[in-house]
Amino acid sequence: MNIPRGDLLRSRVVDDPGTTLATALERRLTGYAVFEPQDAVLLGDERRGVVTFEGGVPVLAYCTDTDRGGAGALEDVASPGPYSAELYELDRDALAEAHEADDLRVSAGLPAERLADDRDLVTRTRDVAPDDRLGADDTDAVEAFLADESQIEAIREQAREEARARAEEWGLTDALDD
C-alpha cells in the first residue's frame, strides 16, 4: 500500500488504540493512523498497522510486516498495549487510489472491535458511517485464521505446555500421554 506522507497531528504512546480511533472519529479525520504494538518495538521487528480514514470512518487496514490487508491485518497488529500511535491528516484525493483496493478494506467498526474491543466505539463509528461501509468482515478473519496452520499449531503447543505445567503442579506427570 502506497500512501503519501500526511501532516502529523498526534504522536503518542497509548494503552489502548481505541483512543486514536476515537480521536479520528471525533475529528472526522481524513487521513491515516499508524499503530506499532509494544512487542514490535521491544523486539525490533517492523510490524506496524496502518488504518486509513475518510470522514473519521476507517476504510482500509494494512500490516507492514505480514503484507496482509483488511481484517487479517488487524489480527496481525492486535496485541496487548501499549502502542505507539501516530495520526496523520491527508487530503481525500491523496487516498483515492489506495481506497480502491478492495482486498485492504474493513467494515467501519472492525478496527474498534479488533484493536480496542470497544463496543461503544464500534457503535459510534457505525452510526456515522455511510451505509455501504457497514459490511461485516468477521467471516474473512475467521477464515484467514483457520487457514493459517502455524497459528493453530502454536495454540495447540501452548495448550500442551500449559497442560504439562498443570500436571506437574498437581503431581500428575505420570498420567501424561506424550
Side-chain angles (χ1 to χ4, degrees), residues 54-74:
E54 191 169 307
V57 177
V59 178
L60 305 177
Y62 178 75
C63 179
T64 60
D65 186 46
T66 62
D67 198 32
R68 292 198 321 164
L74 296 173

Side-chain angles (χ1 to χ4, degrees), residues 128-139:
V128 300
D131 290 341
D132 65 333
R133 302 285 335 289
L134 296 177
D137 292 332
D138 295 334
T139 304

